[in-house]
């Protein structure tokens, strides 16, 4: 089994707005230090508030995304950007148009290619040609997936097509109140692809994720919980959680801290 140095960082914030703001701060800092950074953003409900904060900062001129390159994390196989259930479309309309990343600077997953395997390998080359990802912002799937690396995904997995679990398909169709048919396959950046990012932020919000966050951070790393592999990244991994998501954690972790104005609670202070 792969082992990590386990010196990753976890910061627990009082609530979702505080955790979202801290994540937006990481993104902002990454772009200020490298205006042409290559970034992967998650879809889903978790990052919505973070995207609102980034859009507000961009509108005020506090941060400039115009030179940033974005690589899509995952997309359903066979789905074009015009499809209502396209994750790329969601990212474009809900995020990139608002923060000022032009569509030409978005690398879309080649999900309509004839040879999906070869096309996925080309996508990996495009990331490598860009010097790798500077920052990967990730959410945590209810079954421990990151991107669409479903249970069974190895630490070395690369961009590829994966069959979605029924649980993930029903999670996805819930975003559309069940009105949209979710394909049974997706292309996702691999765990190994993500592990090579210079910085990884895992944002986890809400008590529904508490048990999965505990498994992610406290159980032995395994294919059962693909997010657990992120610990291999060591200090390049920052986990940002709200108190609800962190409520099942049973031990203090190296690098764990509370937001500065929230220190003093014994269970969330790194001094013990
Ligand atoms: C989705 C996406 C992930 C996302 C995760 C959590 O299916 N493939 O990129 O991070 O599941 O979604 P949510 O934030 O809505 O819980």
């Amino acid at each position: 089994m792969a082992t990590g140095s386990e010196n990753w960082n976890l910061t627990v914030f009082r609530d979702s707005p505080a955790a979202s703001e801290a994540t937006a701060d990481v993104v902002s800092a990454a772009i200020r230090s490298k205006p042409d950074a290559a970034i992967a953003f998650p879809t889903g409900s978790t990052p919505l508030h973070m995207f609102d904060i980034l859009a507000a900062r961009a509108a005020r001129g506090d941060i400039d995304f115009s030179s940033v390159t974005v690589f899509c994390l995952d997309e359903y196989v066979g789905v074009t950007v015009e499809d209502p259930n396209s994750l790329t479309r969601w990212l474009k309309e809900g995020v990139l148009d608002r923060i000022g990343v032009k569509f030409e600077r978005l690398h879309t997953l080649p999900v309509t290619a004839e040879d999906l395997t070869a096309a996925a390998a080309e996508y990996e080359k495009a990331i490598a040609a860009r010097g790798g990802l500077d920052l990967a912002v990730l959410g945590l799937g209810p079954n421990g997936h990151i991107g669409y690396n479903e249970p069974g995904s190895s630490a070395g997995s690369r961009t590829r097509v994966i069959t979605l679990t029924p649980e993930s398909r029903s999670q996805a169709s819930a975003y559309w109140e069940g009105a949209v048919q979710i394909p049974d396959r997706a292309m996702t950046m691999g765990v190994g692809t993500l592990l090579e990012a210079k910085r990884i932020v895992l944002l986890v919000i809400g008590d529904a994720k508490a048990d999965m966050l505990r498994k992610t951070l406290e159980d032995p790393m395994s294919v059962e919980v693909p997010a657990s592999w992120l610990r291999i990244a060591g200090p390049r991994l920052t986990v940002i959680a709200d108190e609800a998501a962190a409520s099942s954690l049973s031990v203090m972790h190296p690098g764990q801290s509370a937001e500065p104005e929230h220190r003093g609670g014994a269970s969330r202070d790194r001094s013990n």
Side-chain angles (χ1 to χ4, degrees), residues 41-47 73-74 76 87 137-142 145-149 164 168 171-172 175 188 203 205 209:
F41 284 125
T43 54
S45 52
T46 303
L73 188 57
D74 47 18
Y76 301 111
L87 298 174
V137 184
L138 302 171
L140 178 64
H145 69 223
I146 42 170
Y148 261 140
N149 289 282
L164 298 172
S168 290
Q171 178 212 359
Y175 295 131
T188 181
L203 173 62
I205 287 170
K209 300 280 176 71

Side-chain angles (χ1 to χ4, degrees), residues 13-24 50 203-205 240-242:
F13 289 84
R14 177 189 310 120
D15 52 22
S16 163
S20 300
E21 184 146 13
T23 310
M50 175 198 67
L203 173 62
V204 191
I205 287 170
I240 294 177
D242 67 352

